[in-house]
Amino acid sequence: YGTDEALALESVLARSREANALLVGDDTIGMDAILSRLAARIASGEVADALRHNELLALDVEGLIAATGDKATFERECVRVFEDAARAGNITLVIPSLPKALESAQKLGVDFLELLDPNLRGSAIHVVATAHRGAFHKSMGVEERLAERFEEVQVAPAASSVLASLLLARAEELERRSGVFFSYPAIFATAESARQYFPYGSALDNAFDLLPAFVSARAGDARVPLRHGRQRPVGRHLDLANDERLERY
């Protein structure tokens, strides 16, 4: 899943200038899977030369707004993030749910796209944003502005099996630490639950949160773990210099 989309994204990011992409999809799972696939290609050295040693770091705009609380502080922290990424020289900033981030920043009195624009026009950093198809097409004004700076990459809907494959490595980590083992049906059920009962936010993050809860609930009922068909997804950790404003894909 996602091979064509990941290659299209890589092609955009390999440009010398205005290397910015907007992933547009029906759900978060598919877009997360594309980003994870690209991060894995970077880690294995399979990408174009322009992206070798690159890092994908996610900027949580909603979290930054909550942490700063006022226009001046938010703008200052955003500028600092952009400057730090530019100095590093090998950063691709990922901005999840960009239309929602723009709306939240606007409530604070900030035109986030205008704040971001100097970086979109330059070559120091790459930017990948994501947008749910419905939210993207509801606001024509935002859509037109984004089209000026971002190359759109359409993402096909992802099946729950895609999310399940991304959960396997996380389950294996929990197995080693807790002694509680996950069968493949349990992994698939977790993926289904994350999509069905937690429609907001990242389905991948929600599913990651469910696994430890299941460990706590089922600590006395160990199962035989699945040992076949595992993929190596790219985990998320705090970014360079332990900066809590960003997360690594």
Side-chain angles (χ1 to χ4, degrees), residues 1-8 30 33-34 37 155 162:
Y1 171 81
T3 300
D4 291 343
E5 291 93 335
L7 290 175
I34 301 307
R37 182 180 286 273
V155 178
V162 175

Side-chain angles (χ1 to χ4, degrees), residues 18-42:
E18 296 190 2
N20 312 303
L22 178 67
L23 298 180
V24 180
D26 292 320
D27 56 49
T28 306
I29 299 170
M31 292 183 283
D32 280 347
I34 301 307
L35 290 166
S36 293
R37 182 180 286 273
L38 176 61
R41 284 177 55 80
I42 293 172

Side-chain angles (χ1 to χ4, degrees), residues 4 15 59 78 80 85 87-88 120 136 153 162 183-184 186 194 196 198 206 211-213 216 231 234 249:
D4 291 343
R15 295 173 181 170
L59 174 60
C78 284
R80 188 177 301 171
R87 275 196 296 270
L120 299 177
F136 178 58
V153 176
V162 175
S183 64
Y184 185 80
Q196 184 174 356
F198 301 93
N206 290 334
L211 288 180
S216 298
Q231 297 182 12
V234 180
Y249 273 82

Side-chain angles (χ1 to χ4, degrees), residues 29-241:
I29 299 170
M31 292 183 283
D32 280 347
I34 301 307
L35 290 166
S36 293
R37 182 180 286 273
L38 176 61
R41 284 177 55 80
I42 293 172
S44 64
E46 299 175 5
V47 290
D49 289 343
L51 294 178
R52 288 186 184 274
H53 311 298
N54 202 265
E55 286 193 88
L56 273 61
L57 301 178
L59 174 60
D60 181 2
V61 175
E62 299 281 327
L64 192 56
I65 289 173
T68 54
D70 65 83
K71 180 177 184 291
T73 307
F74 173 73
E75 289 180 334
R76 184 170 61 251
E77 286 302 307
C78 284
V79 170
R80 188 177 301 171
V81 168
F82 303 150
E83 290 177 347
D84 288 348
R87 275 196 296 270
N90 64 335
I91 301 300
T92 294
L93 277 181
V94 179
I95 304 176
S97 302
L98 181 57
K100 184 179 179 181
L102 294 176
E103 182 180 345
S104 297
Q106 188 62 49
K107 292 177 181 178
L108 203 62
V110 177
D111 186 336
F112 182 71
L113 195 54
E114 183 177 336
L115 196 63
L116 181 63
D117 192 61
N119 301 281
L120 299 177
R121 289 185 282 106
S123 59
I125 62 175
H126 306 158
V127 177
V128 177
T130 70
H132 288 82
R133 208 179 310 277
F136 178 58
H137 292 299
K138 277 181 183 176
S139 178
M140 291 300 295
V142 170
E143 186 176 356
E144 292 170 1
R145 292 182 67 192
L146 294 179
E148 295 176 1
R149 296 299 182 208
F150 289 90
E151 181 77 20
E152 188 176 321
V153 176
Q154 292 287 333
V155 178
S160 293
S161 57
V162 175
L163 177 56
S165 70
L166 297 172
L167 289 176
L168 289 174
R170 173 63 169 157
E172 189 173 54
E173 177 187 338
L174 288 171
E175 289 170 358
R176 289 195 300 267
R177 290 195 341 230
S178 68
V180 175
F181 300 116
F182 293 88
S183 64
Y184 185 80
I187 296 291
F188 192 83
T190 302
E192 284 284 289
S193 297
R195 297 188 67 172
Q196 184 174 356
Y197 299 111
F198 301 93
Y200 301 105
S202 166
L204 185 59
D205 287 343
N206 290 334
F208 276 3
D209 291 340
L210 284 174
L211 288 180
F214 292 159
V215 168
S216 298
R218 304 285 293 181
D221 186 14
R223 302 287 185 180
V224 176
L226 178 72
R227 295 301 181 192
H228 303 287
R230 294 190 182 276
Q231 297 182 12
R232 180 184 176 274
V234 180
R236 295 180 174 187
H237 308 283
L238 293 179
D239 86 313
L240 78 177

